[in-house]
Amino acid sequence: MKKKILIVGVGNIGFRHFQSVNDLKNVEITLVDPRIQKIKKIYFKHEIKKRNKYLFHNTINRVFYKKFDLVIIATNSKIRFKIFNYLVKNNISKNIILEKVIYSNLNDYDKYMNIINTMKINCWVNCLNRVFPISKEIKS
């Protein structure tokens, strides 16, 4: 059975996630980005592998009818919660990776945590270690 993976936001970090999951065999990878046509022309010429299935959309509204084994949200912080909330409300996946620092204030953190706990979502925030004081201390 093919694993279905959704990546929302295919900038630098989102594209790196794509490269990683693209090394897997027998996966269906759906990519969503408003600049998807431009991105396809620039990045995907040599990255497409025949062993996987690829779907490209320029808006998240195009994937409401599907279920995914994993969703990776690698958007900017301005739209990240809106995307997250849309995916959760439409029950698109119970496994989500949020890229970067996800919130700018504690109220946003509370909103995420309430949804994650209520909907029983497996969620991982992939935050670079360099933002933590202990990492800075170790480095110095």
Side-chain angles (χ1 to χ4, degrees):
M1 178 181 226
K2 273 189 185 191
K3 293 291 183 183
K4 295 179 181 174
I5 299 171
L6 170 64
I7 301 174
V8 182
V10 194
N12 292 330
I13 294 173
F15 184 70
R16 296 294 178 219
H17 281 290
F18 166 77
Q19 288 177 314
S20 295
V21 297
N22 196 36
D23 285 337
L24 301 172
K25 292 180 182 173
N26 200 29
V27 293
E28 179 181 300
I29 303 170
T30 301
L31 300 159
V32 176
D33 195 290
R35 309 157 296 151
I36 200 66
Q37 294 307 319
K38 182 178 180 182
I39 290 168
K40 275 172 60 174
K41 287 179 186 174
I42 296 170
Y43 294 122
F44 293 96
K45 291 178 197 173
H46 307 291
E47 297 291 337
I48 301 299
K49 297 181 179 175
K50 302 267 191 261
R51 66 182 180 222
N52 293 323
K53 180 178 178 182
Y54 304 92
L55 300 167
F56 300 92
H57 299 293
N58 61 357
T59 177
I60 193 69
N61 300 338
R62 305 288 299 224
V63 298
F64 72 91
Y65 58 91
K66 291 190 98 173
K67 302 289 184 224
F68 294 90
D69 298 295
L70 174 65
V71 171
I72 300 168
I73 303 175
T75 63
N76 66 48
S77 60
K78 291 178 184 175
I79 63 169
R80 190 172 303 123
F81 183 77
K82 183 179 176 182
I83 299 286
F84 172 80
N85 205 31
Y86 174 84
L87 295 170
V88 170
K89 280 185 178 179
N90 288 289
N91 199 26
I92 288 176
S93 182
K94 291 288 187 188
N95 302 299
I96 298 175
I97 295 174
L98 296 168
E99 193 53 63
K100 307 173 203 165
V101 176
I102 61 168
Y103 57 89
S104 55
N105 64 53
L106 288 176
N107 290 336
D108 289 347
Y109 173 78
D110 289 338
K111 284 193 281 187
Y112 276 103
M113 290 308 297
N114 285 336
I115 292 170
I116 289 166
N117 290 331
T118 302
M119 301 297 288
K120 297 183 175 146
I121 296 170
N122 299 313
C123 187
W124 174 262
V125 178
N126 191 30
C127 185
L128 301 173
N129 284 334
R130 70 174 182 240
V131 300
F132 295 113
I134 189 69
S135 297
K136 291 177 183 179
E137 197 174 314
I138 291 170
K139 185 177 180 181
S140 67

